[in-house]
Amino acid sequence: MATTRLLGVVICALAVLATGCASPKAPAYSPDYAALDQLKAAKPSTIAVVKVQPTDPNAPVNRISLRGTRLDSPSGTFAKYLEDAIVRDLKEVSAYDAKSRTRLDARILENDVSVGNISTGTGVMTVEIEVTREGVQRLKKTYKANISFESSFAGMVAIPAGQTAYPTLVRALLGKVYADPQFAAAIGS
């Protein structure tokens, strides 16, 4: 009986250690189809997406901490996560072409999710977008998105809430970009 209990305790301890050491990953991006409708309405020409900056995994915008627990990007960095999201959206509206002469460059300036409040979490993302066509700048503009979401004082609720909120933050930012008439003019045929 004592051996069975000891074995149970050891198995539970190993399970906690195995799961406790892994950093949570942000969920995969999924498009906001209302925002994609706005993007499609711009009648975009084909667009190539340049590597979103900064690519350094140690850059502050590529490191998000949720109450001391590091949130990882399934793409390796949050810059690559944003790049993958933009490419996916452009493919959805048949506007992506890696060889296009219209290029979209992006640099993340601010990227954070906070679950420090007792009942509400927040997210902020600021990105500089530049669109060039055949080497001529058509747009250079900074976009900012803020979100808030239900959280908790309890870390076991707050950390997963912050983790789940990340794709919502990216969708909010891209929704602002796609809804901007200046962006629509810059990517238009």
Side-chain angles (χ1 to χ4, degrees), residues 15 42 56 66 78 85 102 111 119 128 140-141 146 150-151 159:
D56 178 4
L66 303 172
F78 289 106
T102 301
N111 184 42
S119 61
E128 182 181 73
K140 186 171 186 177
K141 190 170 181 179
N146 292 286
E150 193 173 314
S151 188
I159 293 169

Side-chain angles (χ1 to χ4, degrees), residues 13-24 69-70 72:
L14 287 174
V16 168
L17 286 174
T19 58
C21 295
S23 295
T69 300
R70 190 178 81 221
D72 287 333

Side-chain angles (χ1 to χ4, degrees), residues 5-7 11 17 55-56 61 92:
R5 282 189 192 155
L6 181 59
L7 183 59
I11 289 172
L17 286 174
T55 57
D56 178 4
V61 297
E92 281 282 332

